[in-house]
Amino acid sequence: AQCSQRAVPNMITTPQATLDVIQLCVVHPSMEWCVECTDTNNAEHCQDPLHTLASICLDHYMEDCARWYDMCREFPEGLDDICGNADRDSFVLRTDEGDLCVGIM
């Protein structure tokens, strides 16, 4: 049964994802993903903030993706479309100092 599967640690809620996207889009309003998810319209047209956040964070490293990195750092099963997967060419890790790094393998 689905309910017997282990929960995803640090799963981002819709309100958290919406706030993270708004924060990213305030700083970088020209990103293609920011058309619908803006602070000026209170993200009322942001239909899927988690996938929007994932698209931004998978595209390139940004400090405001910290919550997404925490959720995705171990490539949780079933979230390949949100987190990528362990076979992809890039990786996300947390250094001993707590810094988040993204690189190409």
Side-chain angles (χ1 to χ4, degrees), residues 59-79:
D59 187 62
H60 57 281
Y61 170 80
M62 299 182 90
E63 282 184 30
D64 292 327
C65 290
R67 210 183 326 257
W68 177 85
Y69 292 129
D70 283 343
M71 179 183 74
C72 291
R73 70 175 169 230
E74 305 213 0
F75 305 106
E77 187 176 338
L79 293 182

Side-chain angles (χ1 to χ4, degrees), residues 20 24 28 31 39 55 63 79 94-95 103:
D20 288 347
L24 285 160
H28 306 282
M31 288 190 297
D39 189 31
S55 296
E63 282 184 30
L79 293 182
R94 186 177 294 276
T95 66

Side-chain angles (χ1 to χ4, degrees), residues 23-56:
Q23 187 173 13
L24 285 160
C25 290
V26 164
V27 176
H28 306 282
S30 63
M31 288 190 297
E32 65 184 281
W33 305 280
C34 294
V35 174
E36 297 177 348
C37 303
T38 66
D39 189 31
T40 56
N41 66 18
N42 293 319
E44 65 188 38
H45 303 292
C46 194
Q47 298 298 310
D48 193 347
L50 185 56
H51 276 94
T52 300
L53 179 63
S55 296
I56 293 169

Side-chain angles (χ1 to χ4, degrees), residues 10-23 49-50 53 64 67-68 71:
N10 303 311
M11 185 68 189
I12 300 172
T13 65
T14 299
Q16 288 172 326
T18 301
L19 289 173
D20 288 347
V21 169
I22 288 172
Q23 187 173 13
L50 185 56
L53 179 63
D64 292 327
R67 210 183 326 257
W68 177 85
M71 179 183 74

